[in-house]
Amino acid sequence: MADEDKWKPEGTSGEDEDEEDELDDNAYKSAKDAVLFAIDISPSMLTAPPQSDSKNADHDSPASAALKCAYTLMQQRIISSPNDIMGILLYGTEKTKFREEEDNQSHMGLSYPHCYLLADLDIPAAEDVKALKILLEDEEEFQELLIPSKEPASMTNVLFCANQIFTTKASNFSSRRLFIVTDNDDPHERNKALKASAAVRAKDLYDLSIIIELFPISKPGSDFDRAKFYDDIIYNKAPTNPEAPAPIAGAIKASSTGNGITLLNSLLSSINSRAVAKRALFSNLPLEIGPSFKISVKGYIIFKRQEPKRSCYVWINGDKAQIAKGISAQIADDTARKVEKGEIRKAYKFGGEQVTFTPDEITSLRHFGDPGIRIIGFKPLSMLPIWANLRPSTFIYPSEDDYVGSTRVFAALHQKLLHDRKMGLTWFVARKNAAPVIAALVPGAEKLSDEGDQLLPAGLWLIPLPFADDIRQNPETQLIRAPETLIDMMRVVVQQLQLPKAEYRPEKYPNPALQWHYRILQALALEEELPEKPDDKTIPKYRQIDKRTGSYVTEWGHELEAQYQTWAQASRSASTTTLAKRPASSAVKSEGESSKRVRVAAEVISDADMRGHVKAGTLGKVRLVQSLSSQLEDS
């Protein structure tokens, strides 16, 4: 059925919860994401860093780096999230543009001076990516378009313009976010009326569940101060959207010396950490802490293997390409008649026979209670072995939808488990007809990067534990333990090859097969030249490895050869001792055993005698040794 399911449209299942399936991306709640970039175009944002001879030096101005980040995100979204929409709004420009068809009408009498809508909020198309790429590569066109205005743009107009874009283009989207990239921490320094007006416009966005994300860029010699203006217009969370991400306090440092591509990398890292909308795997699932004591939680899969997927199938044999819609049907084997769903009964093989069940019986067999998480006890965290993890863990977070006060109870449980280094044992049923799982409820602390970006959120993790039937025994092997000298020498090699800060950062190593697949798709869609080889960041840096550990590995190899020769000589000596001449008593015993084997061999019967025993019915009196010996001689 796996091959048939891939032809079905997204969001449909063949048997409507009859089949028990894994928790995967198909179980996500449908959610669309709308992201609008608002990039400040001011003289300081257009100032490139000083020239430098370093090969890793910054050559991009903050505005150019922000546009490159938008271009990179657009490339990712066009393939990985085809239903999400993106737009780019430049403010502080000399030119003004809202929408082509509404330029003459000034959009119902409203105007947004010094606001230039570079890319309207829509699903990224190949033409949009091409146009943005041409703008970034054509320096003359870039400088002609990005001319800063003589007077700064009003943030009231910027926020109102963003409000209008979201209202007309993404009115029914569950996630709507405005990304503001600027280095001006006080755009209305001498005008309190404009500050108050901007705060009102921000509150309007807040009431519409539109989240404002700030990407501040610190100027050389001065830090970005949020308290001057942006603390009044940015809220931690929207009241109707508890999943809205909180703003991150750290500011992105601009390069003052031109050494290092810090600005572009920091922007990409910060934007990527907040570019993907949160999508719940399950919503408002009850977490039962004790009898009649429940709170509601939402579950998310933070870690999931990403694989290339087809969004649709295309039939190209007609006059023009058309999207093909797959239909599957059950056919009778003997008459080739289409079998209706009501005629089908499920069966399982048992003892060589087919045992059939009605749909109601199947449903009752799979019903282990309503979906939910029930804590059945607590254990020290040290009792959870590292190998006891069957599937990706699920991150859970409180929800106030069903039980008011769930956040406070959840926070108290999380802090208590984290402080006492305890874990909860839970009975976990993710959804209707799902198989129950015994899972460990493990607390997790928040982890931030050096730049202040959130790497892992604070919350609780559900780790599925194996049942007794899931555990397999390792095969018996004869272990040859290395001597301490080899272990000590290898310890030095491992220490020299240790990763920075002794931790693996998966965001630094994209999947080469997946990136190669997307790169080919991008080249075909944008009519670019096909790349010759993939950019594989998992390839070891052999020169650096040789520089750090070459001499140590060579010494370890010589020591290994010497230790092996010693071990081999000892093994040969042991085998020679084992094959030494046996004593006389053993020889006498061997002769006695030989005579017994001779007597047994003498008692071997022929095939004719065997047939006679069969006819006479006396085969049961024949010794087993005789029968086996006869068969061995025939073979």
Side-chain angles (χ1 to χ4, degrees), residues 285-295 297 368-378 396 424-430 436-441 462:
L285 198 69
L287 171 59
E288 184 178 350
I289 302 176
S292 302
F293 183 23
K294 298 180 181 179
I295 63 175
V297 295
F368 287 89
D370 295 330
I373 306 170
R374 185 170 71 249
I375 296 179
I376 57 180
F378 297 94
I396 62 175
L425 289 178
T426 63
W427 172 269
F428 175 39
V429 180
V437 175
I438 298 295
L441 191 65
L462 277 174

Side-chain angles (χ1 to χ4, degrees), residues 200-312:
V200 172
R201 293 301 182 190
K203 183 65 167 56
D204 294 340
L205 295 174
Y206 173 74
D207 293 337
L208 293 174
S209 300
I210 299 173
I211 308 303
I212 301 177
E213 293 274 9
L214 178 64
F215 296 89
I217 299 177
S218 295
K219 297 178 182 179
S222 63
D223 293 332
F224 193 98
D225 188 0
R226 292 171 178 265
K228 291 181 179 179
F229 175 77
Y230 285 98
D231 280 350
D232 295 332
I233 70 168
I234 294 181
Y235 300 85
N236 287 344
K237 292 192 176 182
T240 58
N241 185 9
E243 297 179 17
I248 297 175
I252 301 167
K253 302 292 185 181
S255 177
S256 59
T257 61
N259 293 325
I261 48 176
T262 54
L263 178 59
L264 182 59
N265 287 340
S266 298
L267 268 176
L268 280 173
S269 175
S270 186
I271 289 175
N272 285 332
S273 66
R274 288 175 276 179
V276 180
K278 299 178 181 179
R279 293 182 170 93
L281 181 65
F282 52 78
S283 295
N284 304 327
L285 198 69
L287 171 59
E288 184 178 350
I289 302 176
S292 302
F293 183 23
K294 298 180 181 179
I295 63 175
S296 57
V297 295
K298 292 186 177 183
Y300 307 85
I301 290 185
I302 305 295
F303 303 102
K304 182 73 170 67
R305 179 176 176 81
Q306 186 71 23
E307 297 176 351
K309 295 182 179 179
R310 299 186 187 97
S311 58
C312 60

Side-chain angles (χ1 to χ4, degrees), residues 614-629:
V614 172
K615 292 179 180 179
T618 58
L619 186 60
K621 298 180 180 181
V622 179
R623 295 177 60 185
L624 179 61
V625 175
Q626 294 175 302
S627 177
L628 291 176
S629 300

Side-chain angles (χ1 to χ4, degrees), residues 56 89 148 273 584:
N56 293 327
L89 174 66
S273 66

Side-chain angles (χ1 to χ4, degrees), residues 39 120 185 273 322 336 444 501 528 545 551 625:
I39 302 174
D120 202 355
D185 55 5
S273 66
Q322 299 180 6
K501 297 184 180 179
E528 299 175 346
I545 292 174
S551 58
V625 175

Side-chain angles (χ1 to χ4, degrees), residues 176-212:
R176 297 180 290 180
R177 291 175 292 167
L178 175 64
F179 288 179
I180 299 179
V181 185
T182 181
D183 63 351
N184 187 359
D185 55 5
D186 194 2
H188 302 306
E189 183 177 0
R190 298 181 179 87
N191 196 327
K192 293 184 178 180
L194 287 178
K195 279 188 178 182
S197 179
V200 172
R201 293 301 182 190
K203 183 65 167 56
D204 294 340
L205 295 174
Y206 173 74
D207 293 337
L208 293 174
S209 300
I210 299 173
I211 308 303
I212 301 177

Side-chain angles (χ1 to χ4, degrees), residues 265-430:
N265 287 340
S266 298
L267 268 176
L268 280 173
S269 175
S270 186
I271 289 175
N272 285 332
S273 66
R274 288 175 276 179
V276 180
K278 299 178 181 179
R279 293 182 170 93
L281 181 65
F282 52 78
S283 295
N284 304 327
L285 198 69
L287 171 59
E288 184 178 350
I289 302 176
S292 302
F293 183 23
K294 298 180 181 179
I295 63 175
S296 57
V297 295
K298 292 186 177 183
Y300 307 85
I301 290 185
I302 305 295
F303 303 102
K304 182 73 170 67
R305 179 176 176 81
Q306 186 71 23
E307 297 176 351
K309 295 182 179 179
R310 299 186 187 97
S311 58
C312 60
Y313 291 86
V314 180
W315 182 65
I316 59 175
N317 292 332
D319 295 336
K320 62 179 182 179
Q322 299 180 6
I323 297 179
K325 182 178 180 181
I327 300 176
S328 61
Q330 302 287 342
I331 305 296
D333 191 21
D334 51 353
T335 62
R337 178 180 64 88
K338 182 179 179 180
V339 181
E340 300 297 332
K341 187 176 180 180
E343 303 178 71
I344 299 175
R345 299 186 67 179
K346 295 202 171 182
Y348 295 90
K349 283 188 177 182
F350 185 81
E353 297 182 0
Q354 298 280 357
V355 183
T356 61
F357 294 90
T358 63
D360 292 338
E361 290 173 337
I362 288 289
T363 302
S364 62
L365 285 174
R366 288 179 174 164
H367 184 69
F368 287 89
D370 295 330
I373 306 170
R374 185 170 71 249
I375 296 179
I376 57 180
F378 297 94
K379 291 286 185 181
L381 197 56
S382 58
M383 295 187 66
L384 180 64
I386 192 173
W387 49 263
N389 195 339
L390 288 179
R391 293 190 296 273
S393 55
T394 303
F395 178 76
I396 62 175
Y397 206 71
S399 170
E400 297 282 335
D401 293 345
D402 288 348
Y403 299 95
V404 178
S406 296
T407 303
R408 292 185 178 181
V409 176
F410 185 92
L413 176 63
H414 170 262
Q415 293 173 11
K416 182 62 177 175
L417 292 177
L418 198 62
H419 179 268
D420 293 350
R421 299 191 57 81
K422 298 280 188 180
M423 68 172 180
L425 289 178
T426 63
W427 172 269
F428 175 39
V429 180

